[in-house]
Amino acid sequence: MIRRASLVLVGALMGATAMSVIYTAVVPAEAAGSSTYKELSIFGDVFERVRAQYVTPPQEDKLIEAAINGMLTSLDPHSSYMNAKDADDMRTQTKGEFGGLGIEVTMDNDLVKVITPIDDTPAAKAGVLAGDYITAIDGQSVRGLKLEDAVEKMRGAVKTPIKLTLLRKGADKPIELTIIRDVIAVAAVKSREEGDVGYLRIISFTEKTTPDLEAAIAKIKKDIPADKLKGYVLDLRLNPGGLLDQAINVADDVLERGEIVSTRGRNPDETRRFNAGPGDITDGKPIVVLINGGSASASEIVAGALQDLRRATVVGTQSFGKGSVQTIIPLGDGNGALRLTTALYYTPSGRSIQGTGITPDIKVDQPLPDELKGKLVTEGESSLPGHIKGQSETDQGSGSAAYVPPDPKDDLQLNYALDLLRGVKTDPAFPPNPEKAVSSK
């Protein structure tokens, strides 16, 4: 494998419609025409009128931020301004760790419900249990808070205390716990052994993804003898993306050669190509990749590369279709950063998936439970207002249902993949033939 240093981010760490980014310097643009500067003068006049005459004194920094965001969001859904806090949050997400408690939570009846405490974290050690309801954080009620606001309150500097008030089934009064925050490492990869098959789920592409994946594969190879191991399921469903270099490394880990992805900007000389080198850590074992409407950007890069180079069979439903690249331009100390769409990325065959997505080799629909029927909105890049129209985009658009059953026995897509690897099911698309790889000329 070839490890290629890259400071590119693709996809979203907090949802499939967020950023693809590449850190780089900005090439100076040509000077704007005189009419443009006249319009900027008008903007200055409007700002002064609002600042001086609006019915209540506005926050001037908020006015400027809103004006900048208005300009950027008029371009496409992924260009935006990140203030200093947003930029810092993005850096935290890509590291895959933060200062916090170590609990997975959701919102239930205006209270924060603990789904599960993560093993060996401050919350688990302090006695927080799955099913507990958090009613107050440092004495402040959580009622009326959004989930993300409550999570933000629970995060904080390492070694600082936080007091949680809990309601627990069977307890006759609220429980108060004081917990000391610590570094919480968020798993980028979850793995398990499905009998004679290795299951690998990449949750997002952070700085931890490649080492986590390599460790997971090493464990599976240790636990399952090579002559018994049928292959691997690489689950990219509900994966909104993340760091491009991690997507490249993941593909490189199981490829022996070939172009993984290319990015093409406004000028031909901005084209960048990323290639795989020798070395397949799975020893050539068959791979089935799972995708659905929640698979976006970096996950689409991996699926597209393994599909075009005939290294894996892709099973599931149409992916999200986010094929644009954003450049992150720092705006000076404490001034945040500009996120600007500057390129599109292409799979090895030269196809842009912008607005189309990855079409699986074998389509397997995942039925929705009755309680979700009619409630789960199918959304893809092509349905986002103001999105950049892809060169291959049609009225059919991109995206599909983004649902994965919590119980593996109900997971039709996963079980189809397992049946393929075990030979219970057959299909012309499996196993793929690397000699028939499709690449651009």
Side-chain angles (χ1 to χ4, degrees):
M1 290 81 64
I2 297 176
R3 289 287 174 262
R4 302 183 184 278
S6 174
L7 292 176
V8 179
L9 286 162
V10 288
L13 294 175
M14 297 301 289
T17 64
M19 69 277 186
S20 311
V21 296
I22 174 172
Y23 287 81
T24 184
V26 181
V27 177
E30 294 181 4
S34 59
S35 61
T36 300
Y37 289 109
K38 182 179 178 180
E39 294 295 328
L40 287 173
S41 176
I42 294 173
F43 169 79
D45 290 344
V46 171
F47 173 78
E48 284 301 324
R49 290 287 185 179
V50 172
R51 187 187 65 80
Q53 299 179 9
Y54 187 67
V55 62
T56 57
Q59 287 184 254
E60 296 178 16
D61 58 339
K62 296 295 184 183
L63 287 179
I64 297 295
E65 185 173 327
I68 294 171
N69 262 321
M71 174 174 59
L72 293 169
T73 56
S74 73
L75 299 173
D76 69 84
H78 308 294
S79 294
S80 66
Y81 168 72
M82 295 184 291
N83 59 32
K85 181 180 181 302
D86 292 338
D88 186 61
D89 286 346
M90 184 194 68
R91 286 188 289 269
T92 298
Q93 292 166 27
T94 59
K95 287 181 183 294
E97 60 183 35
F98 56 89
L101 307 180
I103 49 176
E104 295 181 14
V105 295
T106 188
M107 213 70 183
D108 187 9
N109 293 323
D110 289 331
L111 298 177
V112 177
K113 182 179 181 180
V114 177
I115 299 173
T116 183
I118 301 171
D119 290 343
D120 200 33
T121 61
K125 293 174 182 177
V128 177
L129 301 179
D132 284 350
Y133 284 88
I134 300 173
T135 62
I137 301 170
D138 284 333
Q140 180 183 348
S141 173
V142 301
R143 292 187 184 277
L145 290 180
K146 295 180 181 178
L147 180 60
E148 55 265 33
D149 294 332
V151 169
E152 183 66 23
K153 286 181 176 295
M154 287 187 281
R155 291 184 178 181
V158 173
K159 304 303 180 187
T160 58
I162 182 174
K163 185 171 73 174
L164 299 184
T165 304
L166 309 174
L167 292 181
R168 179 174 297 168
K169 186 176 181 180
D172 57 4
K173 62 180 180 180
I175 299 168
E176 291 195 348
L177 296 176
T178 297
I179 306 174
I180 305 300
R181 296 180 178 94
D182 204 346
V183 174
I184 306 300
V186 181
V189 177
K190 292 187 176 180
S191 65
R192 64 177 183 266
E193 289 145 25
E194 290 279 354
D196 53 2
V197 174
Y199 173 82
L200 305 159
R201 180 189 170 208
I202 301 181
I203 300 166
S204 62
F205 289 87
T206 71
E207 292 176 7
K208 296 181 176 295
T209 300
T210 301
D212 282 2
L213 180 70
E214 292 172 353
I217 291 176
K219 182 179 185 304
I220 289 169
K221 289 167 67 174
K222 180 180 178 182
D223 292 347
I224 306 177
D227 61 337
K228 302 293 185 184
L229 182 59
K230 300 294 187 184
Y232 296 88
V233 174
L234 183 61
D235 193 346
L236 300 176
R237 295 173 299 175
L238 305 182
N239 182 321
L243 292 163
L244 175 59
D245 73 314
Q246 295 295 310
I248 293 167
N249 288 345
V250 165
D252 190 10
D253 268 344
V254 299
L255 289 169
E256 293 281 2
R257 62 185 181 275
E259 181 179 298
I260 295 171
V261 67
S262 64
T263 62
R264 308 177 195 178
R266 180 169 168 175
N267 302 313
D269 59 1
E270 294 174 348
T271 297
R272 302 177 68 195
R273 299 183 184 277
F274 301 88
N275 299 309
D280 177 355
I281 65 173
T282 68
D283 302 320
K285 291 290 185 179
I287 299 174
V288 176
V289 174
L290 297 180
I291 61 170
N292 65 9
S295 307
S297 277
S299 54
E300 292 175 294
I301 286 175
V302 173
L306 301 189
Q307 182 182 59
D308 280 0
L309 298 178
R310 301 295 189 261
R311 177 61 186 90
T313 298
V314 179
V315 171
T317 55
Q318 200 79 8
S319 64
F320 188 84
K322 172 145 186 338
S324 61
V325 180
Q326 283 72 44
T327 300
I328 294 296
I329 307 166
L331 299 177
D333 292 341
N335 292 322
L338 170 65
R339 181 168 58 203
L340 186 67
T341 299
T342 54
L344 299 177
Y345 64 77
Y346 294 76
T347 70
S349 64
R351 57 180 167 147
S352 165
I353 63 167
Q354 173 67 11
T356 58
I358 298 292
T359 301
D361 298 305
I362 305 173
K363 184 182 179 185
V364 178
D365 290 310
Q366 185 68 60
L368 296 177
D370 291 340
E371 63 269 20
L372 288 181
K373 289 179 180 177
K375 298 179 181 179
L376 191 65
V377 178
T378 298
E379 187 175 65
E381 177 75 13
S382 60
S383 66
L384 298 181
H387 78 282
I388 297 173
K389 188 174 179 64
Q391 66 178 34
S392 303
E393 186 175 337
T394 66
D395 291 341
Q396 182 177 345
S398 62
S400 62
Y403 172 71
V404 177
D407 191 334
K409 71 178 177 59
D410 299 324
D411 192 338
L412 296 190
Q413 294 168 337
L414 170 60
N415 285 293
Y416 195 101
L418 295 173
D419 285 347
L420 277 178
L421 290 165
R422 291 169 179 154
V424 176
K425 293 184 184 296
T426 60
D427 191 279
F430 181 84
N433 184 356
E435 298 303 318
K436 296 183 178 180
V438 182
S439 59
S440 58
K441 303 298 183 183

